[in-house]
Amino acid sequence: MSAHAHDHAEDHHDDHGHHHKETFVTKYIFSQDHKMISKQYLVTGLFMGMIGIAMSILFRMQLAWPDHQFTIYEILLGKWGEDGVMDPSVYLALVTIHGTIMVFFVLTAGLSGTFSNLLIPLQIGARDMASGFLNMISYWLFFLSSIIMLMSLFVEAGPASAGWTIYPPLSALPQAIPGSGTGMTLWLVSMAIFIASSLLGSLNYIVTVLNLRTKGMSMTRLPLTIWAFFITAVIGVVSFPVLLSAALMLIMDRSFGTSFFLSDIYIAGEVLHNQGGSPVLFEHLFWFLGHPEVYIVILPAMGLVSEIMATNARKPIFGYRAMVASILAIAFLSTIVWGHHMFISGMNPFLGSVFTFTTLLIAIPSAVKSFNWITTLWRGNLQMNTAMLFSIGFVSTFITGGLTGIILGDSALDINVHDTYFVVAHFHLVMGVSALYGLFAGVYHWFPKMFEGKLLNKNLGYIHFWVTVIGAYGVFFPMHFIGMAGLPRRYYTNTNFPYFDDLTDVNVVITIFAIITAAAQLVFLYNFISSMFFGKVGPKNPWNSTTLEWTAEVKHIHGNWDGPIPHVYRWSYDYSKLNKDESDYVIPGQDYIPQHMPLQENEEELNH
């Protein structure tokens, strides 16, 4: 943006704070203010998360005690839980909807939707998003798709039950299983709307970062959060349309008699007319989104963690340029690895070796990030608040979960553990738990920015962290072993296989840990809701952070800054910076220099 255009934008916005009186509806419901929209995303995401966790507790109980009768099944599952026994088809439905909700509605919308919206305008120095209207439409499409997904739980034959990956022909033939009827149609409609929401949001984020940075905010001065959100949005724009095409073709196959994914099928003695389709085509289309999707989930968490770690270690982030380069490398590589989900689909072994190579390459930028986080902590003045603990927990689960990816990414080694609990353990640790820790870290850190200066209760935060971190490892660590023993995913009981009898105790342990971990989230929920109303109000910049969002008004106003937008004179990580003769900090007695502070006489500008 040229200086002239920039001044023009400034003038245009100056009268923004004083126009029409807002009503309840325009302020809290159909709001076009990015701060309110971020809260809408967060609350919706947390609500969906609670449902996703509740589902996982139900099917974990079934796995641990397959022969027991639980009244709770009858209460929650109705006709699928008669006499307290879980119907096998509803087990599949729970697994399917749990996966869909957690991946898309909690981790994609909850993380990107909340923090891209909250932080992009505030950290780059913009009055709001490029288009507040598109931003509002994006949230309401997400809300609508959430409602449709929840509605699918109440249809007569049950919700979608083909796994969150909905592979045809199981998902394409309504007569295959009860869950392939109306429930699957609703799932597809919900996902199509979700994709529209995601695309509108992503385009808005991209345009905002490219066009609305304040004076002096070059791309290399951006906080790593903004880099992460920006690249996440780019990956979303590239890959989500592919899932939309897969969903539309599946709708066509199901409702309009086409044969994109169907060929030579005999079902219940009936020969279907479909000829020439290929179910493997669906796998390619699904995973071409599905793999970038896991990076869409993890990159925002990485950005949040980088920012929180630098702030709470009171040190500049180690290797800023390498961190940006690794985000770009991950984005590029994420689009050429999708085949590692399909090593068992009968693909050419040579192609398998190509996908193995590209998959193992992704370990390089991931390792760069991990070492840089550890080095940022090294000899830092660590402030162990809850956000920092969750950030460190993130690095832990990202590394432990990522190591098993090296096994799964190898086309020969994958054959033994494909579709076992080893895979479940791997991706839950590396993208599920890690991304949730990033989400929690972000909420604890930026809660005062969302709720006008109020802080979350620190002691409840510590309880939440320690129970969650021990519980999550208690759930997913033993899963590696039952996976290596050969226990397949998505079986509602293993009692028919004497070979697996020794593993029942492990399943009981996992389920007990899962119930304890779920209970810890109630502590967080209580902390969140009570602090929203009665939280202790902290200082304007509670963590002594350098970035611009802490210079904005604590009280939410339209346009973020009451006066002119601050200009930027330095990068976003000037923590513990010493003056020229290294006798004291640049600003004596203050171990950080905000981005909007001009260079002092006694300091050298570092070239990052």
Side-chain angles (χ1 to χ4, degrees):
M1 192 187 241
S2 69
H4 171 73
H6 199 278
D7 295 338
H8 179 70
E10 285 279 277
D11 302 339
H12 170 67
H13 275 302
D14 276 352
D15 58 342
H16 229 154
H18 312 293
H19 61 151
H20 65 281
K21 182 85 188 80
E22 289 191 311
T23 61
F24 179 84
V25 173
T26 57
K27 183 172 179 189
Y28 291 104
I29 301 175
F30 296 112
S31 171
Q32 296 186 22
D33 186 296
H34 70 101
K35 300 178 290 296
M36 183 56 67
I37 293 173
S38 90
K39 287 193 272 193
Q40 291 176 322
Y41 267 111
L42 182 60
V43 171
T44 315
L46 289 177
F47 176 74
M48 295 298 276
M50 290 298 152
I51 294 172
I53 289 173
M55 288 180 167
S56 67
I57 298 304
L58 285 174
F59 61 70
R60 275 307 329 165
M61 284 165 60
Q62 164 66 23
L63 286 169
W65 303 287
D67 302 327
H68 276 248
Q69 295 179 325
F70 290 104
T71 356
I72 191 160
Y73 293 165
E74 210 158 357
I75 299 166
L76 292 178
L77 303 175
K79 67 177 180 188
W80 290 294
E82 274 176 12
D83 303 327
V85 180
M86 187 183 286
D87 186 283
S89 63
V90 83
Y91 173 85
L92 292 175
L94 287 172
V95 171
T96 301
I97 305 294
H98 160 81
T100 310
I101 283 180
M102 295 313 258
V103 171
F104 294 109
F105 293 80
V106 181
L107 296 177
T108 304
L111 258 171
S112 290
T114 302
F115 291 106
S116 301
N117 266 314
L118 179 72
L119 294 178
I120 288 176
L122 284 168
Q123 287 194 335
I124 67 174
R127 295 286 181 197
D128 206 308
M129 282 288 176
S131 166
F133 181 72
L134 267 190
N135 211 10
M136 174 183 81
I137 298 290
S138 158
Y139 169 74
W140 283 103
L141 286 174
F142 164 57
F143 185 80
L144 178 65
S145 75
S146 306
I147 297 295
I148 295 173
M149 190 59 73
L150 295 180
M151 272 168 52
S152 79
L153 300 174
F154 298 98
V155 298
E156 182 72 24
S161 315
W164 80 278
T165 53
I166 58 159
Y167 284 178
L170 187 60
S171 60
L173 301 172
Q175 64 269 52
I177 44 170
S180 283
T182 320
M184 178 59 74
T185 306
L186 287 171
W187 191 98
L188 289 163
V189 170
S190 167
M191 282 314 299
I193 295 171
F194 178 86
I195 292 165
S197 146
S198 177
L199 286 171
L200 291 179
S202 294
L203 291 170
N204 218 350
Y205 306 149
I206 292 169
V207 173
T208 308
V209 172
L210 290 179
N211 288 348
L212 296 184
R213 302 190 306 279
T214 183
K215 191 172 179 194
M217 179 65 87
S218 62
M219 292 298 273
T220 48
R221 284 177 174 172
L222 287 174
L224 287 169
T225 38
I226 304 300
W227 268 107
F229 299 143
F230 173 56
I231 300 301
T232 301
V234 172
I235 304 176
V237 168
V238 168
S239 56
F240 264 119
V242 181
L243 183 64
L244 182 62
S245 66
L248 288 176
M249 282 192 257
L250 193 51
I251 289 172
M252 293 286 180
D253 273 12
R254 291 169 48 79
S255 307
F256 303 106
T258 56
S259 306
F260 290 112
F261 307 130
L262 298 171
S263 187
D264 302 318
I265 290 182
Y266 303 85
I267 182 164
E270 182 193 355
V271 184
L272 298 188
H273 68 276
N274 303 85
Q275 280 296 318
S278 164
V280 177
L281 169 63
F282 179 88
E283 292 188 32
H284 279 291
L285 292 172
F286 182 90
W287 287 115
F288 189 80
L289 158 93
H291 201 79
E293 165 65 24
V294 302
Y295 290 100
I296 289 171
V297 162
I298 204 75
L299 279 177
M302 289 173 161
L304 296 171
V305 162
S306 305
E307 179 67 30
I308 292 166
M309 275 199 174
T311 303
N312 287 310
R314 313 308 298 159
K315 272 178 64 183
I317 189 83
F318 186 85
Y320 175 86
R321 295 214 159 190
M323 286 301 231
V324 172
S326 62
I327 291 176
L328 294 166
I330 285 173
F332 169 66
L333 290 169
S334 76
T335 59
I336 53 171
V337 295
W338 77 92
H340 64 215
H341 298 270
M342 300 168 55
F343 287 144
I344 312 294
S345 67
M347 73 159 57
N348 184 322
F350 174 72
L351 189 57
S353 66
V354 174
F355 278 124
T356 298
F357 174 64
T358 55
T359 301
L360 297 182
L361 281 182
I362 277 207
I364 299 168
S366 306
V368 167
K369 295 188 99 49
S370 301
F371 288 125
N372 283 359
W373 286 319
I374 292 166
T375 317
T376 302
L377 295 175
W378 174 248
R379 300 188 67 184
N381 172 19
L382 304 185
Q383 313 296 309
M384 286 298 187
N385 50 40
T386 323
M388 181 64 152
L389 288 175
F390 271 112
S391 299
I392 296 169
F394 169 93
V395 177
S396 166
T397 53
F398 184 69
I399 293 172
T400 45
L403 286 174
T404 52
I406 294 172
I407 297 165
L408 292 165
D410 186 305
S411 54
L413 298 177
D414 178 64
I415 293 169
N416 295 305
V417 282
H418 180 84
D419 252 345
T420 65
Y421 272 90
F422 193 82
V423 178
V424 179
H426 157 72
F427 75 79
H428 276 82
L429 276 178
V430 79
M431 76 164 241
V433 177
S434 299
L436 272 179
Y437 286 178
L439 176 73
F440 286 138
V443 170
Y444 280 100
H445 190 80
W446 279 285
F447 192 84
K449 204 69 238 159
M450 285 187 214
F451 295 102
E452 309 198 333
K454 297 189 180 74
L455 295 161
L456 284 162
N457 181 309
K458 201 169 172 179
N459 292 337
L460 288 177
Y462 287 151
I463 295 168
H464 177 217
F465 171 74
W466 285 110
V467 180
T468 301
V469 83
I470 293 164
Y473 268 135
V475 170
F476 297 115
F477 205 74
M479 272 192 197
H480 292 94
F481 302 116
I482 59 176
M484 279 152 67
L487 193 70
R489 301 168 65 176
R490 298 176 172 152
Y491 283 23
Y492 75 104
T493 173
N494 304 294
T495 41
N496 293 338
F497 309 103
Y499 173 70
F500 295 132
D501 285 351
D502 299 346
L503 303 178
T504 46
D505 295 345
V506 186
N507 262 328
V508 171
V509 169
I510 291 174
T511 298
I512 289 168
F513 271 118
I515 292 168
I516 293 168
T517 313
Q521 310 321 305
L522 297 174
V523 175
F524 168 72
L525 206 61
Y526 168 77
N527 193 358
F528 187 88
I529 292 167
S530 64
S531 301
M532 204 190 311
F533 297 107
F534 312 114
K536 193 175 92 215
V537 176
K540 182 172 182 178
N541 184 354
W543 321 114
N544 291 338
S545 191
T546 57
T547 40
L548 290 180
E549 76 269 31
W550 305 106
T551 65
E553 316 308 314
V554 177
K555 188 150 178 49
H556 285 178
I557 58 166
H558 206 60
N560 299 335
W561 286 270
D562 215 359
I565 297 178
H567 292 173
V568 168
Y569 299 95
R570 56 181 73 242
W571 77 323
S572 40
Y573 296 101
D574 270 337
Y575 292 103
S576 304
K577 187 176 180 184
L578 299 174
N579 56 21
K580 278 182 186 161
D581 54 7
E582 304 205 346
S583 56
D584 194 359
Y585 296 130
V586 173
I587 303 171
Q590 181 174 312
D591 66 352
Y592 68 103
I593 317 169
Q595 274 189 284
H596 66 289
M597 190 154 297
L599 283 171
Q600 309 295 304
E601 286 160 23
N602 63 347
E603 77 169 307
E604 293 170 42
E605 179 164 24
L606 301 174
N607 192 14
H608 298 285

